[in-house]
Amino acid sequence: MTTKQLLQVATAVIINPDSPEEFLLAKRPLDRHLGGQWEFAGGKIEEGEDPEHAIVRELKEEFDIEVEVINKVCQHVYHYPEVSLDLHTFRVKIVSGDIKLLEHDAAVWVSKNEVETYLLASSNHEILQHI
Ligand SMILES: Nc1nc2c([nH]c(=O)n2[C@@H]2O[C@H](COP(=O)(O)OP(=O)(O)OP(=O)(O)O)[C@@H](O)[C@H]2O)c(=O)[nH]1
């Protein structure tokens, strides 16, 4: 029997600087895993990398913004048939830069009760319970 790898992923609840009850959802490119679905931005944690460091690095790569971690929102495991994920989620605030879409097809600021109008990756539903 083979054991499926548990992929370590860091994700961010980015607070809207102009409206603190809103946070950012980003749309994954169509040619990627979960293409076209909306996510909390982030990505894979590198070998030996601290999850908080990973989220700061990913948000610089994806949006060209500098962020500061406010706190940890949650950590949970989610199993897709093709991959199992260990998702580490952090609430962050932008300290400098304006969001540039370097890797996503779109991004929107939403409040919690607006999220249901977007096709959110099912792995992310747990995160909503903690926001
Ligand atoms: N970034 C991100 N990935 C998520 C979320 N939810 C979720 O299931 N994933 C999955 O976590 C995995 C890693 O995310 P990713 O593809 O963004 O990672 P990455 O930027 O490091 O990718 P790359 O190194 O292939 O360019 C993917 O399989 C992705 O579908 C989420 O909210 N944000």
Side-chain angles (χ1 to χ4, degrees):
M1 201 172 97
T2 54
T3 310
K4 211 172 15 170
Q5 193 199 352
L6 186 61
L7 197 63
Q8 300 294 319
V9 177
T11 57
V13 177
I14 306 173
I15 301 302
N16 183 350
D18 299 321
S19 179
E21 76 286 356
E22 293 182 339
F23 52 86
L24 196 82
L25 290 184
K27 192 175 189 184
R28 292 183 65 82
L30 290 175
D31 61 352
R32 303 289 303 279
H33 183 235
L34 310 181
Q37 296 186 32
W38 293 81
E39 69 171 13
F40 296 98
K44 298 182 197 90
I45 301 171
E46 292 173 359
E47 194 71 40
E49 187 181 32
D50 182 66
E52 290 195 33
H53 182 271
I55 198 58
V56 172
R57 175 184 55 72
E58 285 285 350
L59 297 179
K60 177 72 181 166
E61 290 172 9
E62 296 183 348
F63 300 132
D64 194 23
I65 54 171
E66 309 284 344
V67 302
E68 191 176 287
V69 172
I70 301 170
N71 59 14
K72 187 161 189 173
V73 174
C74 60
Q75 180 180 353
H76 73 289
V77 172
Y78 189 88
H79 302 282
Y80 283 105
E82 64 281 13
V83 64
S84 291
L85 304 163
D86 186 6
L87 293 135
H88 305 247
T89 303
F90 299 93
R91 184 176 283 104
V92 308
K93 68 173 182 186
I94 299 172
V95 291
S96 69
D98 294 316
I99 289 178
K100 302 180 191 75
L101 295 183
L102 303 178
E103 296 186 12
H104 291 91
D105 282 356
V108 284
W109 295 113
V110 294
S111 61
K112 198 173 167 181
N113 56 21
E114 291 167 332
V115 176
E116 63 186 30
T117 61
Y118 295 86
L119 178 58
L120 189 69
S122 49
S123 52
N124 290 343
H125 289 157
E126 167 81 17
I127 297 169
L128 283 181
Q129 309 304 315
H130 298 271
I131 297 177

